[in-house]
Amino acid sequence: MAPDAILPPATLGLLGGGQLGRFFALAAAEMGYRVWVLDPDPGSPAGRIAERHLCAPYDNQDALEELAAGCRAVTTEFENVPAQSLRHLSRHALVRPGAAAVAVCQDRIAEKEFLTTHGFPVGPYVSVRRAADLEAAAALPFPGIMKRARLGYDGKGQVPVGSAAEAVAAWQALGEVDCVLEARLPLELEMSVVLARGADGTTTVYPAVENAHRDGILDMSIAPGRAPAAVAAEAARLAAGIAGALGYEGTLAVEFFLGAGRLLVNELAPRPHNSGHWTLDACPASQYEQQVRALCGLPLAPAEPWGCAVMVNLLGDLWRDGHEPAWTQLLSVPGLKLHLYGKSQPRPGRKMGHYTVVGRELPGVLEAARAARARIGIAGTPP
Ligand code: ADP
Ligand code: MG
């Protein structure tokens, strides 16, 4: 343990109060820490359970001062916190991950440039800051996707484009903000790797997970994923390399595409990740507990899972005509763990909760997770 480890009952600060923050707050509370949350939403999932909820925008100077004065260390659950706020906080409190790493991950242009500069594989893309940049689009294979460089999530801020000519219209439709134009890749598989890295460089990497999306939103994660062992090992190696190159401190997620046998980095998240929820129920320490440990300078826990896990997101679409889904039906599935985030407004596409089925063998776990989908009325064929 580092000599300057922050021990309970110290107060920890959290920027962002979504479900990822709620699980961080729960993990921290379990370990005897107190948590203060900064989030402008009065009903934020983490704010509801934190010792204190500072309800203010992320760049509110008074709230940032208060957080810095009251907390020994501050972390984030949300990559869109202004890097400037992190820089400001770091003058008074320990901030992990640091502003520089978050700044890279919150801007797709900076992220792609960082990855290519350090030799990590990414798909064909063009950075678009001004109209003239779109001339380079002629060299891209089409179809493509125009993505906002900042503030996108769950497929939002993305426009499919069929040709270089359409790319111009797509950029205009997005308000001529900074964008990256990516070639749409034929995907065999989507994968992610979640890891934790301590300030001393120690890194523990969870097994690579296989992810299935619907309408740009994560639907289901299978852990460990079914990619060949060599591919999973390569993903873990790349993710650890990225964390090292970023000088990263905390929990980091790396999303990968596997296409034509090649592993490419899709994007980075400087925080725990939806595809790492399964670690809550299938590992000695979750990605959130690792975030607490890394933040406080404590030893990281081993990342080997007890078994296999399948996680399924529960979106607001399941609340039909205002009716709660059939929770009792779901809870009668053996090995199933239900997590709800305490959000009061179920909107279509909004992540309201998830469940994880845990067991020894993947085929049985997958079958139970699929049966549970049917019980609760998730439409469509599961992956
Ligand atoms: P975010 O997760 O921030 O919404 P992503 O860039 O990860 O944005 O895109 C969301 C999903 O859209 C991906 O997980 C993938 O399913 C699909 N997608 C994104 N970019 C590409 C691409 N270049 N080729 C194929 N599919 C893509
Ligand atoms: Mg993504």
Side-chain angles (χ1 to χ4, degrees):
M1 196 185 337
D4 59 349
I6 296 169
L7 298 173
T11 301
L12 307 178
L14 179 66
L15 296 164
Q19 58 269 18
L20 302 172
R22 183 174 168 105
F23 289 121
F24 169 85
L26 290 169
E30 244 173 15
M31 296 171 80
Y33 293 98
R34 295 172 185 152
V35 176
W36 289 11
V37 170
L38 174 62
D39 188 300
D41 174 6
S44 78
R48 285 176 186 277
I49 60 151
E51 182 171 286
R52 265 198 85 189
H53 177 193
L54 303 169
C55 192
Y58 297 114
D59 56 357
N60 181 291
Q61 292 299 309
D62 293 340
L64 290 171
E65 299 289 342
E66 206 171 338
L67 200 68
C71 300
R72 289 279 304 282
V74 179
T75 189
T76 173
E77 62 104 47
F78 171 62
E79 64 263 46
N80 296 324
V81 166
Q84 186 53 36
S85 295
L86 296 178
R87 261 179 232 116
H88 182 81
L89 281 170
S90 64
R91 289 201 281 272
H92 311 280
L94 190 67
V95 177
R96 289 179 172 149
V102 175
V104 168
C105 304
Q106 70 185 192
D107 183 310
R108 289 186 197 273
I109 295 180
E111 189 171 273
K112 293 257 197 269
E113 282 172 1
F114 164 83
L115 291 167
T116 46
T117 306
H118 288 83
F120 296 106
V122 300
Y125 78 98
V126 170
S127 299
V128 186
R129 289 196 177 88
R130 54 192 75 79
D133 295 339
L134 282 162
E135 286 162 23
L140 274 188
F142 278 89
I145 310 177
M146 185 71 79
K147 301 181 179 179
R148 286 181 70 110
R150 305 173 74 92
L151 303 172
Y153 69 100
D154 287 347
K156 293 189 176 63
Q158 301 191 7
V159 181
V161 291
S163 63
E166 275 182 41
V168 177
W171 184 60
Q172 286 164 346
L174 288 169
E176 305 191 358
V177 294
D178 288 359
C179 284
V180 296
L181 173 60
E182 293 181 12
R184 179 175 284 283
L185 303 160
L187 304 181
E188 279 157 49
L189 210 61
E190 288 196 62
M191 297 167 62
S192 58
V193 171
V194 173
L195 60 77
R197 186 171 182 275
D200 63 357
T202 315
T203 305
T204 59
V205 185
Y206 291 102
V209 166
E210 176 182 341
N211 298 319
H213 294 79
R214 294 171 80 180
D215 304 323
I217 306 175
L218 182 66
D219 175 26
M220 189 156 145
S221 293
I222 301 171
R226 293 169 294 183
V231 173
E234 175 66 357
R237 193 187 67 77
L238 289 169
I242 289 167
L246 279 171
Y248 197 84
E249 299 170 342
T251 295
L252 173 76
V254 182
E255 295 180 13
F256 291 96
F257 292 143
L258 181 66
R262 268 200 83 200
L263 206 49
L264 300 171
V265 178
N266 171 26
E267 59 169 352
L268 313 177
R271 50 168 173 78
H273 195 259
N274 190 168
S275 71
H277 281 338
W278 68 279
T279 60
L280 283 163
D281 302 310
C283 293
S286 70
Q287 58 172 349
Y288 308 99
E289 180 175 332
Q290 300 284 46
Q291 186 183 15
V292 176
R293 290 178 181 232
L295 177 63
C296 295
L298 299 172
L300 299 177
E304 283 81 38
W306 309 124
C308 303
V310 172
M311 188 273 331
V312 175
N313 270 336
L314 300 169
L315 304 182
D317 312 59
L318 291 173
W319 275 247
R320 295 196 183 93
D321 307 318
H323 294 300
E324 287 283 313
W327 301 134
T328 41
Q329 294 257 5
L330 199 63
L331 287 165
S332 64
V333 175
L336 183 144
K337 190 85 198 273
L338 175 65
H339 299 266
L340 294 172
Y341 310 148
K343 298 181 183 176
S344 45
Q345 292 298 325
R347 287 190 296 273
R350 188 172 198 209
K351 292 171 181 166
M352 301 296 290
H354 72 270
Y355 67 78
T356 305
V357 180
V358 182
R360 260 189 219 110
E361 307 286 343
L362 187 57
V365 171
L366 254 176
E367 198 180 313
R370 286 178 180 145
R373 296 173 73 98
R375 282 193 194 197
I376 202 149
I378 297 179
T381 319

Short mmCIF file of all heavy atoms in Angstrom, two decimals, residues 108 154 190 213 255 266-267 273, ligand 2:
data_model
loop_
_atom_site.label_atom_id
_atom_site.label_comp_id
_atom_site.label_asym_id
_atom_site.label_seq_id
_atom_site.Cartn_x
_atom_site.Cartn_y
_atom_site.Cartn_z
N ARG A 108 -13.29 12.66 -29.47
CA ARG A 108 -12.94 11.57 -30.39
C ARG A 108 -11.72 11.92 -31.26
O ARG A 108 -10.97 11.03 -31.65
CB ARG A 108 -14.12 11.22 -31.30
CG ARG A 108 -15.26 10.52 -30.60
CD ARG A 108 -16.33 10.09 -31.61
NE ARG A 108 -17.57 9.78 -30.96
CZ ARG A 108 -17.90 8.57 -30.47
NH1 ARG A 108 -17.05 7.58 -30.56
NH2 ARG A 108 -19.07 8.39 -29.90
N ASP A 154 -24.34 6.36 -26.32
CA ASP A 154 -25.41 5.46 -26.74
C ASP A 154 -25.84 5.73 -28.19
O ASP A 154 -27.03 5.76 -28.51
CB ASP A 154 -26.64 5.56 -25.81
CG ASP A 154 -26.38 4.90 -24.46
OD1 ASP A 154 -25.38 4.17 -24.35
OD2 ASP A 154 -27.17 5.13 -23.53
N GLU A 190 -18.12 -7.28 -31.26
CA GLU A 190 -17.67 -6.13 -30.47
C GLU A 190 -17.23 -6.64 -29.12
O GLU A 190 -17.86 -7.54 -28.54
CB GLU A 190 -18.81 -5.13 -30.32
CG GLU A 190 -19.10 -4.41 -31.62
CD GLU A 190 -19.95 -3.17 -31.39
OE1 GLU A 190 -19.49 -2.25 -30.70
OE2 GLU A 190 -21.07 -3.15 -31.91
N HIS A 213 -25.02 -4.83 -29.31
CA HIS A 213 -25.74 -3.56 -29.26
C HIS A 213 -27.03 -3.65 -30.04
O HIS A 213 -27.14 -4.41 -31.00
CB HIS A 213 -24.89 -2.43 -29.85
CG HIS A 213 -23.66 -2.13 -29.05
ND1 HIS A 213 -22.53 -2.90 -29.12
CD2 HIS A 213 -23.39 -1.16 -28.16
CE1 HIS A 213 -21.61 -2.42 -28.30
NE2 HIS A 213 -22.12 -1.37 -27.71
N GLU A 255 -13.17 -0.06 -25.73
CA GLU A 255 -14.08 -0.77 -26.63
C GLU A 255 -13.33 -1.16 -27.89
O GLU A 255 -12.59 -0.34 -28.44
CB GLU A 255 -15.27 0.12 -27.01
CG GLU A 255 -16.18 0.48 -25.85
CD GLU A 255 -17.35 1.37 -26.28
OE1 GLU A 255 -17.61 1.51 -27.50
OE2 GLU A 255 -18.00 1.93 -25.38
N ASN A 266 -12.15 0.94 -30.77
CA ASN A 266 -13.26 1.83 -31.11
C ASN A 266 -13.16 3.11 -30.29
O ASN A 266 -12.89 4.17 -30.81
CB ASN A 266 -14.60 1.12 -30.89
CG ASN A 266 -15.80 2.08 -31.01
OD1 ASN A 266 -15.71 3.09 -31.69
ND2 ASN A 266 -16.88 1.76 -30.34
N GLU A 267 -13.32 2.99 -28.97
CA GLU A 267 -13.22 4.19 -28.15
C GLU A 267 -12.83 3.85 -26.72
O GLU A 267 -12.88 2.68 -26.31
CB GLU A 267 -14.53 5.00 -28.20
CG GLU A 267 -15.74 4.23 -27.71
CD GLU A 267 -16.97 5.13 -27.53
OE1 GLU A 267 -16.85 6.36 -27.62
OE2 GLU A 267 -18.05 4.58 -27.25
N HIS A 273 -17.56 0.98 -16.88
CA HIS A 273 -18.29 0.89 -18.15
C HIS A 273 -19.48 -0.03 -17.98
O HIS A 273 -19.45 -0.98 -17.20
CB HIS A 273 -17.33 0.30 -19.20
CG HIS A 273 -17.76 0.45 -20.61
ND1 HIS A 273 -18.34 -0.58 -21.31
CD2 HIS A 273 -17.68 1.50 -21.47
CE1 HIS A 273 -18.59 -0.17 -22.56
NE2 HIS A 273 -18.21 1.09 -22.67
MG MG B 2 -19.23 3.04 -27.46
#
